[in-house]
Amino acid sequence: MNMIQAINSAMDVMMARDPGVIVMGEDVGYFGGVFRATAGLQAKYGKTRVFDTPITEIGIIGVSIGMGAYGLRPVPEIQFADYIYPALDQLVSEAARLRYRSDGEFTAPITVRSPFGGGIFGGQTHSQSPEGIFTHVSGLKTVIPSTPYDAKGLLIAAIEDNDPTIFFEPKRIYNGPFNGNWDAPAANWSKHPAGEVPTGYYKIPLGKAAVVRSGEAVTMLAYGTMVHVCLQVVADTGIDAEIIDLRTLVPLDIEAIEESVKKTGRCLIVHEATRTGGFGAELSALVQERCFYHLEAPVERVTGFDTPYPHSLEWAYFPGPVRIGMALKKILKD
Amino acid sequence: MADAARSNLPPLALHVPEPKYRPGDTVDFSDVEVPPAGSARRPDTAEDARNFTDLVYTMVRVLDDENRAVGPWDPKLSPDTLRRMLRHMATVRAFDERMFRAQRQGKTSFYMKSMGEEAVAVPQAYALDADDMCFPSYRQQGLLIARGCPMVDMMNQIYSNRGDKLQGKQLPIMYSEKRFGFFSISGNLATQYPQAVGWAMASASRGDTRIAATWCGEGSTAEGDFHSALTFATVYRAPVIFNVVNNQWAISSFSGFAGAEATTFAARAVGYGIAGLRVDGNDALAVYAATLWAAERARTNAGPTLIEHFTYRAEGHSTSDDPTQYRSAGEPTAWPLGDPIRRLKDHLITLGEWSEERQAAMDKDVADEVKAAQKEAEKNGILGHGLLQSLDTLFDGVFEEMPWHLREQRAQMLAEETESGRPWDRKK
Ligand SMILES: Cc1ncc(C[n+]2csc(CCOP(=O)(O)OP(=O)(O)O)c2C)c(N)n1
C-alpha cells in the first residue's frame, strides 16, 4: 500500500469497528478527497458518516468539537495544513482545553488529518509545516508518520485516543519514499518493506519513536519526509548515524532520544519547518538539558529557512541531502 | 492625499457609527420601533423559512401595555408555570446581586450580571426539554437556575473554592454542568456556535431526539464562528436554535459596530435560508413562545432557527466595567421594553393570580435562599482566601493520561513548594 491507501485503510478499519467515527471535510465525501485519502468510504459507510463540508475550517473544527462532546469520534480533514490557520482558535482555545476547563465533563476526541510539508511545487499555500504551532499548545497531540505502515497504525491510535490529535501527513511521501534528490526518478512504496501494510486492525502507540537505523557516530532526529532524506545522507556519506523517527512530537519519546544521544554524543535535528521557534529548538533544548555531559559537539539543526515557502526556488529551500550532509560533517569535525 | 487631477469627484467619506447617547445626554428612545403586542403572525413550524422573512424585521410580542397576553404567540401558560418562571427570574436577579457584592467584597475576582435580560434564559429553559443541550455564553446563568442546578455549586465555581468541581480551572461564571445539559463556557466569543451545530448534527446523525441551543451577544455575531455555524446549520438542517441576545452593548461598543445600523440581527438568518424571529427579549411569554416554536421546528427536522432577543443590558458588562463612562445613565430606565421581571409580575397581577404583597414575600424568600446558599458555599472557602485547590490538580486534565513532560513539571512544582515551606494541600 502507499501512504494514502494506508490512511484510507485506517479510517476504514475504525469506521467498521466504531459507529461513532465520522469523516468530514472539504471534498472528502463523494469524491473521496483531493488526495483520495477518503475514497470509497462514503459508498461504504453512508453519507451521514462521511460527508463534504462547506469551506470553513473554523466551522469544520468547531462542529467536530461539538460532535466529539456529543460522544462521536470525528476525523475531520483539513485539505492542506496551510488552511488550518482559520481554525486555529477552535483548536487552540477550544479542543485543546475542553477537558481541562470542564474537568473532564466534556472532551474533544477528534483527529484532525491534514497533508503538510513541501517538495510538491505547492508554493506558499500548499507546502507549509505548521507543527511547531501545535506542539506549543498544551492539550494537543501531534503525530507525523513517515511510512504507510506507521501511518495506518498511528492513525488508528490517534482515532482511538480520547484527546484531540493533529495528524500531519507528509504529502511528499504519499506515493513513495522521497530521499531529497528531486531530479531522481520517483520511488514507490511497493518496493519498501514499510509499504507492506496489513488490511486489518493494528496500532502503533502514540509517544513511541522508531530507531530506523542504528549507528554510533551521531544521532539524527527527524520525522515525516525528512526521515527518508536522512537515510539518503547516510547512504551518500557513509557516516554511521543513528536515525530516530520521532513519529509523535507530543507526547515525545524522550527516552529514545536520550538513550541514543548519550550513546553517540552528537545530535543533528532535521525538519522542513522554518527554523526560528520551531520544534527543532525544543528538541535542541531538551538534548542539551539532558545529555550535556555526553555531548562532544554542539547540537545542530537543519531546517527550512525563515522565509515563506517559495515556489520556483523550492529546492533551494527544501532541506536536502547536501544541507544535511554539510551539517553532519560539521558536527563530526571534532 | 486626494489628488488635484481628480478634484472634480466628490470626496469619499468614512462612516463610523456613533451611539445616540453618551454620558450626560438625555435619552429619548421614541424612535425604537416597538410594534404592538400580538401583531406578528405565527407561521406553522413546518413553513418554508422564505415565507416569513418579514418576521426578522418586526418583533414577536405577547404582553401588551395593559399587561395582557395577546395575539397568536400567546403560549397560554398556566398561572402556576408563570409563577414558577417569575420566581426563577427573580432568583437570577437575587443571585446576581449577591455575587456582584461578593466580588466587590473581594470574595472572588469577577462576576457578570444578566440584569434586564432575565427573560431570555429562564423562559427558554422552560421551552426546551431538560435533556436538550445548551451551548451558552456567559450571561445565561438563568438556564442553570431554571434547570435546578444547586446555587451552592454555582457559587463554589465562582469562588474557585474546595467545592468547585472545576478545581478552580476556570474564570468565575464559566460553568460546566453536563448534568444540566450546560456546555463548558469559553471566554473566546462565539466559539460555542459551531460546537452547538456539531452537537446537533451528531444528535441527528444518531437518530436521537435531543436538540441543541446556543447563545451569543449581538457584538459576537461579527465573529467568523457565527457565520460558519450558520452555514453548517443550514447545509445539514441541524436541529439547533441560535440565540442572539441583542442587549445593545458589547462592553462599550454599541450594537452599530456589529452592523445594527443597517439591519436587524434576526435578518442574519435570511441570507442563510434559516428561520428567523425577532423577539421582545423583555417579554418572558414571547421568548418562551418563540423558543418553543423553534424547538418544535428543530425536533421535526424542519431545521435551525435564529432568534434575536431584543433587550437591554441594564448594568455593567462585568464587575470590571463602568458603563457610566460610555453611555447615558438614563438608558436603562428609559428602555422602552421595560423591566422583564416587572412585566411578568404585572401580567400575573392582571390575571388576578398574584399581588404586590406576594411578590414582596417571594422576593424576600428568594433573597434568603440565595443568602443561605452563599453561606453554605463560603464554608468551602472564597477565592480571596488564597489557594484552595490541592496543588497537584494543576496538571490534571490536560490529557487523559499525563505524559512525561507534565509529570516532570509537576514534580518540579512540588519540589518548589516543599522548598518554599508553604503548606499547600496535596491530593494524596
Ligand atoms: C474572541 C474574543 N474577542 C474579544 C473578547 C473580549 N470581550 C469579552 S465580552 C466582549 C463583548 C461581547 O459583547 P456581546 O457579544 O454583545 O455580548 P454581551 O456581553 O453584550 O452579552 C468582548 C469584546 C473575547 N472574550 N473573545
Side-chain angles (χ1 to χ4, degrees), chain B residues 20-58:
Chain B
K20 281 199 296 270
Y21 310 109
R22 286 298 193 189
D25 292 346
T26 306
V27 174
D28 174 11
F29 279 133
S30 57
D31 64 323
V32 175
E33 273 181 58
V34 181
S39 61
R41 69 200 176 100
R42 185 183 184 282
D44 193 90
T45 53
E47 185 84 30
D48 189 321
R50 270 174 295 202
N51 297 341
F52 51 87
T53 54
D54 51 307
L55 292 178
V56 305
Y57 300 110
T58 175

Side-chain angles (χ1 to χ4, degrees), chain A residues 309-332:
Chain A
Y309 207 101
H311 184 235
S312 64
L313 292 177
E314 172 155 72
W315 297 116
Y317 179 95
F318 194 88
V322 175
R323 195 181 312 159
I324 299 172
M326 283 167 66
L328 266 191
K329 281 176 203 138
K330 185 174 164 205
I331 287 186
L332 292 167

